[in-house]
Amino acid sequence: MKVAKRWLILGHRWLGIGAGLLVALWIGSGLVMLHVPFPRLSQAERLARLPPIAWDRVAIAPDAALAAAGRPEPAALGLEMQGGEPVYRVTGRDGGRATVSARTGERRPALTPEEARALAGPGTVEPVARDQWTVTARYDPLRPFHKVALADAAGTEVYVSAATGEVALVTTRFERGWNWVGAVVHWVYPTPLRARPDLWRDVVLWLSGLAIPLLASGLVLGIWRLGWPRRYRNGALTPYRGLARWHHLSGLAGGLALTGFLVSGWLSMNPNRWFTGPAPSAALVAAQASPWHPVGLDPAGLRRVAASDAVALRFTTLGGRPLVVSLMREGRRVAGADGGPGPDEAQIVVAAMRAMGQAAPPTVERLTAHDAHWSGLGERPLPMLRLRFSDPAATWLHVDPADGTIAERLDRSGRAYRWLFDGLHRLDFSVLAGPAREVAQWALNLLGAVVVISGLVAGWRRVSRKLSG
């Protein structure tokens, strides 16, 4: 036992010196991320930038736009304004994008820097293929970009896709500055590394995997050295003094939470692909919408079906029936292309059963409030349908009751991941709603900071004494 304890102490000490700084950086950057998330353009922000559709300039039908784009069965089709011109945005099943003028029916060429400046506002234009804020693969279909730096007090930079003409991202100096010490540090996100997803994933797995034994060995040692139930000679719970005393007692108080943060962060990288992600696959989405049905509306008919104050339209198919979704700055309206109402619950369930390949109907639950598996964190709209299937994976689908869009797919592993990551890492529990969750995050992270910083200082003092001696 003495030999085991000695090796445990040595392992914990040297792991702490090596990995303690990394854990400290994760704690500090995580606290920054509570208040300044990584830059992204939300749906509400995107719609707020769009002017209402100029119907007097819409001369091309949606089906004609699909033909011009060469994608008769798209993954997505929408109508919105680009500058002073209405355009159709077409996304193919292969992920490719095309923009077709709703005025002339011609495919729009690549956007020029001058056109990007006209869309974003006056400022300097810089070509960008990939940078720190557009590093992830979700931006690949939109590359390259014209980055327009506006001459405003906020230091706003607008990324306009040269390929499609869409505004893809808007950042401010405040967001960029804090993210250098927030998400970039926390996610190990330097551009050259993050641009190589497999390498980045391996690096994060190994770094966080190295830190887990540090915390686990500390917990074992902390309990082992605890003077309970038999106290030490002076009646103390710990044999240590000074900084080591702080490290021991704070480690006992916060070590379990800190270990939970690290383990859940490691699991967020889905080691060995243990978990199924919540995003519905492209095949599932396509099967739910199949077969694609032509919209069948000319511009005049489209105007009758759409909401008068729509800033964008989205076209979709559910069970072979074409739907027109009018998006306003506040709210939306769903209607059939035939002028009838949107789909009812029975039609949505039948389409979901077909997509899942299930003959047995699912159990249907209508969510009107957030719960454990459809939490209030992030942009999670209500109401929402939860369809529970009896397939071998016990799959749940969260489906938008307005238009039948599958928002999320959760099987057993996905629900386990929800607790192991969202629960442990983000404290996403219903009992910690609102300010209580923020207070708990700060309290646990500050306690973790005491553990790590006291251990770092003690460890480096020992190294300095050895080097100087």
Side-chain angles (χ1 to χ4, degrees):
M1 293 297 289
K2 287 182 178 180
V3 173
K5 184 183 290 188
R6 175 170 175 76
W7 280 107
L8 193 62
I9 291 171
L10 289 173
H12 181 70
R13 180 181 298 158
W14 290 105
L15 276 173
I17 294 171
L21 180 59
L22 185 63
V23 178
L25 290 173
W26 274 330
I27 291 172
S29 58
L31 289 174
V32 171
M33 290 180 65
L34 288 176
H35 304 281
V36 188
F38 196 74
R40 62 181 295 270
L41 188 66
S42 69
Q43 173 79 333
E45 291 170 331
R46 192 184 76 83
L47 294 177
R49 300 182 63 89
L50 293 174
I53 296 172
W55 287 108
D56 57 329
R57 300 175 199 170
V58 178
I60 302 300
D63 299 324
L66 289 177
R71 291 176 169 85
E73 294 193 6
L77 172 64
L79 172 67
E80 62 187 45
M81 298 297 292
Q82 180 176 306
E85 183 176 19
V87 296
Y88 287 99
R89 308 281 191 200
V90 184
T91 302
R93 297 283 174 91
D94 59 356
R97 306 286 184 96
T99 301
V100 176
S101 169
R103 182 176 57 85
T104 66
E106 298 177 350
R107 289 189 62 163
R108 291 294 305 264
L111 206 70
T112 66
E114 291 72 23
E115 289 173 324
R117 186 184 292 111
L119 286 173
T124 59
V125 184
E126 175 188 351
V128 170
R130 184 193 304 268
D131 68 1
Q132 185 64 63
W133 318 117
T134 59
V135 67
T136 58
R138 66 188 296 264
Y139 292 104
D140 286 352
L142 303 174
R143 304 185 197 280
F145 301 100
H146 297 297
K147 184 177 73 174
V148 184
L150 306 184
D152 62 354
T156 306
E157 294 180 350
V158 182
Y159 291 76
V160 185
S161 169
T164 68
E166 299 172 70
V167 174
L169 181 64
V170 180
T171 71
T172 63
R173 186 185 300 111
F174 178 86
E175 288 177 314
R176 296 189 299 273
W178 278 107
N179 265 277
W180 282 112
V181 294
V184 175
V185 172
H186 198 79
W187 293 339
V188 195
Y189 239 48
T191 304
L193 177 62
R194 185 60 183 88
R196 297 165 175 79
D198 291 337
L199 175 61
W200 168 74
R201 180 175 176 274
D202 288 342
V203 167
V204 176
L205 278 170
W206 279 102
L207 288 177
S208 54
L210 179 66
I212 291 171
L214 166 65
L215 272 297
S217 61
L219 274 175
V220 173
L221 278 173
I223 296 170
W224 204 340
R225 298 289 283 165
L226 180 65
W228 183 266
R230 295 180 61 184
R231 300 289 184 102
Y232 289 92
R233 289 181 181 178
N234 58 358
L237 288 171
T238 174
Y240 303 110
R241 296 180 181 179
L243 199 63
R245 176 185 178 89
W246 277 98
H247 185 65
H248 185 197
L249 295 179
S250 63
L252 287 170
L256 188 61
L258 192 54
T259 303
F261 282 139
L262 283 174
V263 171
S264 58
W266 181 72
L267 289 174
S268 73
M269 304 308 298
N270 198 5
N272 295 320
R273 311 295 180 186
W274 288 331
F275 306 103
T276 303
S281 66
L284 180 66
V285 173
Q288 188 254 7
S290 295
W292 174 267
H293 194 286
V295 179
L297 290 172
D298 60 17
L302 189 59
R303 184 172 186 177
R304 286 193 299 270
V305 171
S308 59
D309 56 345
V311 297
L313 299 184
R314 185 167 61 85
F315 304 94
T316 186
T317 297
L318 186 73
R321 182 186 179 215
L323 302 175
V324 180
V325 182
S326 300
L327 302 174
M328 289 79 80
R329 291 197 177 95
E330 293 185 5
R332 60 178 173 163
R333 193 182 81 186
V334 182
D338 54 7
D344 58 28
E345 186 175 295
Q347 293 169 332
I348 290 174
V349 170
V350 169
M353 290 169 60
R354 181 175 58 250
M356 287 287 296
Q358 297 291 307
T363 301
V364 181
E365 180 183 359
R366 188 177 184 89
L367 304 178
T368 57
H370 294 109
D371 67 3
H373 289 283
W374 187 256
S375 78
L377 286 182
E379 297 178 3
R380 298 220 164 189
L382 290 170
M384 185 63 58
L385 295 179
R386 176 177 292 153
L387 311 183
R388 304 185 189 215
F389 289 89
S390 57
D391 61 311
T395 303
W396 296 2
L397 296 183
H398 287 128
V399 183
D400 189 329
D403 60 8
T405 299
I406 299 175
E408 189 175 62
R409 176 191 179 275
L410 292 175
D411 59 14
R412 285 193 187 91
S413 73
R415 292 192 291 276
Y417 178 84
R418 179 260 177 277
W419 291 112
L420 292 172
F421 176 68
D422 290 323
L424 291 179
H425 204 76
R426 304 171 69 194
L427 299 186
D428 185 8
F429 302 110
S430 56
V431 295
L432 292 176
R437 174 179 167 271
E438 185 175 326
V439 170
Q441 284 273 20
W442 271 93
L444 291 176
N445 276 281
L446 289 177
L447 184 58
V450 173
V451 178
V452 174
I453 293 172
S454 61
L456 271 175
V457 174
W460 282 108
R461 281 178 179 174
R462 178 178 289 273
V463 170
S464 299
R465 287 196 299 267
K466 286 186 175 293
L467 291 176
S468 61

